[in-house]
Structures are given as C-alpha cells and as structure tokens.
Amino acid sequence: MNLEQMLAELTSHGVENLRRAVEIGKWPDGKPVDAEQRGLCMQALIAWEQKNLPEEQRSGYMPSSACASSPKDEPAQVIKGLE
C-alpha cells in the first residue's frame, strides 16, 4: 500500500490518532512514539490536510496579515503537496 492509498482510507478517528501521537508523543494505548514515527505521522497529517481541508483549517496555518515582518506587496509562498 502506498501513501496515496493510505491517505484515501484514513478515517477521521485515524487522523485524530495521528495528530495526538504528534502532539503528545504517545499512541492511544500509551506507548511512546519514537522520533521516526513522529516524523512519519506529521508527514501523513500534512499530506492528508493538503487534500482534505481548506487552507485556513490546516496545521500551522497563519493568515498572511498575521506576520508583521512579511512585505505587503509580495505574494505568499505556496508549498506544493505530494505529486
């Protein structure tokens, strides 16, 4: 099974489990999440959010007006998802 297939089959419960694993460093059963697992969970969450959520609901979203140091006449950079 590849990443695209896994993301297509991911349920809202699965997304919450991944999010919780990244946030608190533990799986739902209490076992610790190692650094590699945490990184993979974060990558899966970002990819899933890119495909399923509007930009303002994604992890780490900051409206362009929230950053006082960014130039006002320069467009925001867009990070492309998995292709």
PDB file of all heavy atoms in Angstrom, residues 52-74:
ATOM      1  N   ASN A  52      -7.615  17.339   2.046  1.00  0.00           N
ATOM      2  CA  ASN A  52      -8.957  17.269   2.612  1.00  0.00           C
ATOM      3  C   ASN A  52      -9.450  18.505   3.355  1.00  0.00           C
ATOM      4  O   ASN A  52     -10.633  18.558   3.689  1.00  0.00           O
ATOM      5  CB  ASN A  52      -9.041  16.070   3.562  1.00  0.00           C
ATOM      6  CG  ASN A  52      -8.867  14.767   2.836  1.00  0.00           C
ATOM      7  OD1 ASN A  52      -9.752  14.321   2.137  1.00  0.00           O
ATOM      8  ND2 ASN A  52      -7.697  14.163   2.964  1.00  0.00           N
ATOM      9  N   LEU A  53      -8.600  19.443   3.645  1.00  0.00           N
ATOM     10  CA  LEU A  53      -9.015  20.608   4.428  1.00  0.00           C
ATOM     11  C   LEU A  53      -8.729  21.905   3.682  1.00  0.00           C
ATOM     12  O   LEU A  53      -7.737  22.001   2.961  1.00  0.00           O
ATOM     13  CB  LEU A  53      -8.268  20.653   5.767  1.00  0.00           C
ATOM     14  CG  LEU A  53      -8.525  19.535   6.759  1.00  0.00           C
ATOM     15  CD1 LEU A  53      -7.656  19.729   7.993  1.00  0.00           C
ATOM     16  CD2 LEU A  53      -9.987  19.466   7.142  1.00  0.00           C
ATOM     17  N   PRO A  54      -9.571  22.911   3.892  1.00  0.00           N
ATOM     18  CA  PRO A  54      -9.237  24.227   3.338  1.00  0.00           C
ATOM     19  C   PRO A  54      -8.012  24.778   4.054  1.00  0.00           C
ATOM     20  O   PRO A  54      -7.711  24.399   5.192  1.00  0.00           O
ATOM     21  CB  PRO A  54     -10.475  25.072   3.633  1.00  0.00           C
ATOM     22  CG  PRO A  54     -11.266  24.333   4.635  1.00  0.00           C
ATOM     23  CD  PRO A  54     -10.840  22.899   4.600  1.00  0.00           C
ATOM     24  N   GLU A  55      -7.305  25.648   3.388  1.00  0.00           N
ATOM     25  CA  GLU A  55      -6.025  26.156   3.897  1.00  0.00           C
ATOM     26  C   GLU A  55      -6.114  26.666   5.327  1.00  0.00           C
ATOM     27  O   GLU A  55      -5.250  26.381   6.157  1.00  0.00           O
ATOM     28  CB  GLU A  55      -5.530  27.272   2.981  1.00  0.00           C
ATOM     29  CG  GLU A  55      -4.190  27.822   3.372  1.00  0.00           C
ATOM     30  CD  GLU A  55      -3.695  28.909   2.436  1.00  0.00           C
ATOM     31  OE1 GLU A  55      -4.474  29.397   1.606  1.00  0.00           O
ATOM     32  OE2 GLU A  55      -2.512  29.262   2.556  1.00  0.00           O
ATOM     33  N   GLU A  56      -7.160  27.404   5.659  1.00  0.00           N
ATOM     34  CA  GLU A  56      -7.251  28.015   6.987  1.00  0.00           C
ATOM     35  C   GLU A  56      -7.506  27.006   8.110  1.00  0.00           C
ATOM     36  O   GLU A  56      -7.407  27.342   9.276  1.00  0.00           O
ATOM     37  CB  GLU A  56      -8.306  29.119   7.015  1.00  0.00           C
ATOM     38  CG  GLU A  56      -9.716  28.670   6.761  1.00  0.00           C
ATOM     39  CD  GLU A  56     -10.081  28.564   5.282  1.00  0.00           C
ATOM     40  OE1 GLU A  56      -9.251  28.863   4.407  1.00  0.00           O
ATOM     41  OE2 GLU A  56     -11.223  28.162   5.007  1.00  0.00           O
ATOM     42  N   GLN A  57      -7.802  25.740   7.775  1.00  0.00           N
ATOM     43  CA  GLN A  57      -8.019  24.715   8.792  1.00  0.00           C
ATOM     44  C   GLN A  57      -6.826  23.771   8.953  1.00  0.00           C
ATOM     45  O   GLN A  57      -6.846  22.881   9.788  1.00  0.00           O
ATOM     46  CB  GLN A  57      -9.265  23.892   8.455  1.00  0.00           C
ATOM     47  CG  GLN A  57     -10.535  24.677   8.576  1.00  0.00           C
ATOM     48  CD  GLN A  57     -11.757  23.832   8.241  1.00  0.00           C
ATOM     49  OE1 GLN A  57     -11.657  22.627   7.988  1.00  0.00           O
ATOM     50  NE2 GLN A  57     -12.907  24.456   8.226  1.00  0.00           N
ATOM     51  N   ARG A  58      -5.776  23.969   8.170  1.00  0.00           N
ATOM     52  CA  ARG A  58      -4.616  23.084   8.223  1.00  0.00           C
ATOM     53  C   ARG A  58      -3.695  23.430   9.382  1.00  0.00           C
ATOM     54  O   ARG A  58      -3.644  24.573   9.836  1.00  0.00           O
ATOM     55  CB  ARG A  58      -3.828  23.181   6.914  1.00  0.00           C
ATOM     56  CG  ARG A  58      -4.615  22.694   5.734  1.00  0.00           C
ATOM     57  CD  ARG A  58      -3.832  22.852   4.460  1.00  0.00           C
ATOM     58  NE  ARG A  58      -4.732  22.722   3.325  1.00  0.00           N
ATOM     59  CZ  ARG A  58      -4.492  23.226   2.136  1.00  0.00           C
ATOM     60  NH1 ARG A  58      -3.381  23.890   1.902  1.00  0.00           N
ATOM     61  NH2 ARG A  58      -5.366  23.064   1.171  1.00  0.00           N
ATOM     62  N   SER A  59      -2.946  22.420   9.837  1.00  0.00           N
ATOM     63  CA  SER A  59      -1.978  22.618  10.915  1.00  0.00           C
ATOM     64  C   SER A  59      -0.978  23.691  10.524  1.00  0.00           C
ATOM     65  O   SER A  59      -0.478  23.703   9.400  1.00  0.00           O
ATOM     66  CB  SER A  59      -1.208  21.326  11.192  1.00  0.00           C
ATOM     67  OG  SER A  59      -2.086  20.323  11.630  1.00  0.00           O
ATOM     68  N   GLY A  60      -0.701  24.585  11.452  1.00  0.00           N
ATOM     69  CA  GLY A  60       0.300  25.618  11.228  1.00  0.00           C
ATOM     70  C   GLY A  60      -0.157  26.794  10.404  1.00  0.00           C
ATOM     71  O   GLY A  60       0.643  27.665  10.083  1.00  0.00           O
ATOM     72  N   TYR A  61      -1.442  26.849  10.050  1.00  0.00           N
ATOM     73  CA  TYR A  61      -1.924  27.945   9.218  1.00  0.00           C
ATOM     74  C   TYR A  61      -1.788  29.285   9.944  1.00  0.00           C
ATOM     75  O   TYR A  61      -2.118  29.406  11.112  1.00  0.00           O
ATOM     76  CB  TYR A  61      -3.397  27.743   8.844  1.00  0.00           C
ATOM     77  CG  TYR A  61      -3.997  28.937   8.154  1.00  0.00           C
ATOM     78  CD1 TYR A  61      -3.696  29.201   6.829  1.00  0.00           C
ATOM     79  CD2 TYR A  61      -4.836  29.807   8.833  1.00  0.00           C
ATOM     80  CE1 TYR A  61      -4.239  30.307   6.188  1.00  0.00           C
ATOM     81  CE2 TYR A  61      -5.380  30.910   8.197  1.00  0.00           C
ATOM     82  CZ  TYR A  61      -5.075  31.156   6.878  1.00  0.00           C
ATOM     83  OH  TYR A  61      -5.603  32.248   6.248  1.00  0.00           O
ATOM     84  N   MET A  62      -1.274  30.258   9.228  1.00  0.00           N
ATOM     85  CA  MET A  62      -1.198  31.626   9.728  1.00  0.00           C
ATOM     86  C   MET A  62      -1.664  32.551   8.606  1.00  0.00           C
ATOM     87  O   MET A  62      -1.099  32.509   7.515  1.00  0.00           O
ATOM     88  CB  MET A  62       0.231  31.993  10.125  1.00  0.00           C
ATOM     89  CG  MET A  62       0.702  31.293  11.370  1.00  0.00           C
ATOM     90  SD  MET A  62       2.378  31.772  11.842  1.00  0.00           S
ATOM     91  CE  MET A  62       2.211  33.515  12.062  1.00  0.00           C
ATOM     92  N   PRO A  63      -2.673  33.347   8.855  1.00  0.00           N
ATOM     93  CA  PRO A  63      -3.091  34.279   7.815  1.00  0.00           C
ATOM     94  C   PRO A  63      -1.942  35.212   7.460  1.00  0.00           C
ATOM     95  O   PRO A  63      -1.122  35.557   8.315  1.00  0.00           O
ATOM     96  CB  PRO A  63      -4.244  35.055   8.442  1.00  0.00           C
ATOM     97  CG  PRO A  63      -4.429  34.534   9.810  1.00  0.00           C
ATOM     98  CD  PRO A  63      -3.415  33.486  10.082  1.00  0.00           C
ATOM     99  N   SER A  64      -1.856  35.620   6.212  1.00  0.00           N
ATOM    100  CA  SER A  64      -0.731  36.440   5.775  1.00  0.00           C
ATOM    101  C   SER A  64      -0.658  37.751   6.553  1.00  0.00           C
ATOM    102  O   SER A  64       0.415  38.302   6.753  1.00  0.00           O
ATOM    103  CB  SER A  64      -0.814  36.711   4.279  1.00  0.00           C
ATOM    104  OG  SER A  64      -2.031  37.338   3.955  1.00  0.00           O
ATOM    105  N   SER A  65      -1.769  38.254   7.026  1.00  0.00           N
ATOM    106  CA  SER A  65      -1.760  39.503   7.788  1.00  0.00           C
ATOM    107  C   SER A  65      -1.211  39.321   9.208  1.00  0.00           C
ATOM    108  O   SER A  65      -0.911  40.286   9.888  1.00  0.00           O
ATOM    109  CB  SER A  65      -3.169  40.081   7.866  1.00  0.00           C
ATOM    110  OG  SER A  65      -4.015  39.179   8.550  1.00  0.00           O
ATOM    111  N   ALA A  66      -1.039  38.060   9.642  1.00  0.00           N
ATOM    112  CA  ALA A  66      -0.558  37.794  10.998  1.00  0.00           C
ATOM    113  C   ALA A  66       0.948  38.000  11.130  1.00  0.00           C
ATOM    114  O   ALA A  66       1.463  38.153  12.220  1.00  0.00           O
ATOM    115  CB  ALA A  66      -0.907  36.367  11.416  1.00  0.00           C
ATOM    116  N   CYS A  67       1.650  38.023  10.029  1.00  0.00           N
ATOM    117  CA  CYS A  67       3.105  38.161  10.072  1.00  0.00           C
ATOM    118  C   CYS A  67       3.483  39.596   9.730  1.00  0.00           C
ATOM    119  O   CYS A  67       3.446  40.007   8.578  1.00  0.00           O
ATOM    120  CB  CYS A  67       3.760  37.184   9.099  1.00  0.00           C
ATOM    121  SG  CYS A  67       5.546  37.188   9.198  1.00  0.00           S
ATOM    122  N   ALA A  68       3.850  40.354  10.735  1.00  0.00           N
ATOM    123  CA  ALA A  68       4.152  41.778  10.547  1.00  0.00           C
ATOM    124  C   ALA A  68       5.423  42.003   9.743  1.00  0.00           C
ATOM    125  O   ALA A  68       5.589  43.043   9.119  1.00  0.00           O
ATOM    126  CB  ALA A  68       4.283  42.454  11.902  1.00  0.00           C
ATOM    127  N   SER A  69       6.324  41.014   9.714  1.00  0.00           N
ATOM    128  CA  SER A  69       7.592  41.213   9.022  1.00  0.00           C
ATOM    129  C   SER A  69       7.525  40.918   7.529  1.00  0.00           C
ATOM    130  O   SER A  69       8.459  41.214   6.805  1.00  0.00           O
ATOM    131  CB  SER A  69       8.678  40.349   9.662  1.00  0.00           C
ATOM    132  OG  SER A  69       8.374  38.988   9.473  1.00  0.00           O
ATOM    133  N   SER A  70       6.435  40.314   7.049  1.00  0.00           N
ATOM    134  CA  SER A  70       6.366  39.995   5.628  1.00  0.00           C
ATOM    135  C   SER A  70       5.998  41.230   4.814  1.00  0.00           C
ATOM    136  O   SER A  70       5.163  42.033   5.219  1.00  0.00           O
ATOM    137  CB  SER A  70       5.353  38.876   5.371  1.00  0.00           C
ATOM    138  OG  SER A  70       4.060  39.321   5.672  1.00  0.00           O
ATOM    139  N   PRO A  71       6.634  41.383   3.653  1.00  0.00           N
ATOM    140  CA  PRO A  71       6.318  42.528   2.798  1.00  0.00           C
ATOM    141  C   PRO A  71       4.870  42.464   2.330  1.00  0.00           C
ATOM    142  O   PRO A  71       4.368  41.391   1.991  1.00  0.00           O
ATOM    143  CB  PRO A  71       7.270  42.375   1.618  1.00  0.00           C
ATOM    144  CG  PRO A  71       8.275  41.363   2.021  1.00  0.00           C
ATOM    145  CD  PRO A  71       7.684  40.555   3.115  1.00  0.00           C
ATOM    146  N   LYS A  72       4.197  43.575   2.320  1.00  0.00           N
ATOM    147  CA  LYS A  72       2.775  43.612   1.967  1.00  0.00           C
ATOM    148  C   LYS A  72       2.543  43.430   0.474  1.00  0.00           C
ATOM    149  O   LYS A  72       1.509  42.963   0.061  1.00  0.00           O
ATOM    150  CB  LYS A  72       2.143  44.937   2.420  1.00  0.00           C
ATOM    151  CG  LYS A  72       2.260  45.180   3.905  1.00  0.00           C
ATOM    152  CD  LYS A  72       1.561  44.115   4.712  1.00  0.00           C
ATOM    153  CE  LYS A  72       1.693  44.396   6.185  1.00  0.00           C
ATOM    154  NZ  LYS A  72       1.830  43.235   6.994  1.00  0.00           N
ATOM    155  N   ASP A  73       3.505  43.795  -0.362  1.00  0.00           N
ATOM    156  CA  ASP A  73       3.303  43.703  -1.800  1.00  0.00           C
ATOM    157  C   ASP A  73       3.811  42.395  -2.397  1.00  0.00           C
ATOM    158  O   ASP A  73       3.724  42.168  -3.582  1.00  0.00           O
ATOM    159  CB  ASP A  73       3.977  44.884  -2.505  1.00  0.00           C
ATOM    160  CG  ASP A  73       5.466  44.966  -2.213  1.00  0.00           C
ATOM    161  OD1 ASP A  73       5.910  44.435  -1.175  1.00  0.00           O
ATOM    162  OD2 ASP A  73       6.178  45.573  -3.029  1.00  0.00           O
ATOM    163  N   GLU A  74       4.334  41.496  -1.573  1.00  0.00           N
ATOM    164  CA  GLU A  74       4.867  40.226  -2.043  1.00  0.00           C
ATOM    165  C   GLU A  74       3.849  39.125  -1.766  1.00  0.00           C
ATOM    166  O   GLU A  74       3.349  38.994  -0.653  1.00  0.00           O
ATOM    167  CB  GLU A  74       6.170  39.926  -1.299  1.00  0.00           C
ATOM    168  CG  GLU A  74       7.050  38.939  -2.014  1.00  0.00           C
ATOM    169  CD  GLU A  74       8.397  38.828  -1.323  1.00  0.00           C
ATOM    170  OE1 GLU A  74       9.105  39.844  -1.262  1.00  0.00           O
ATOM    171  OE2 GLU A  74       8.696  37.714  -0.838  1.00  0.00           O
TER     172      GLU A  74
END
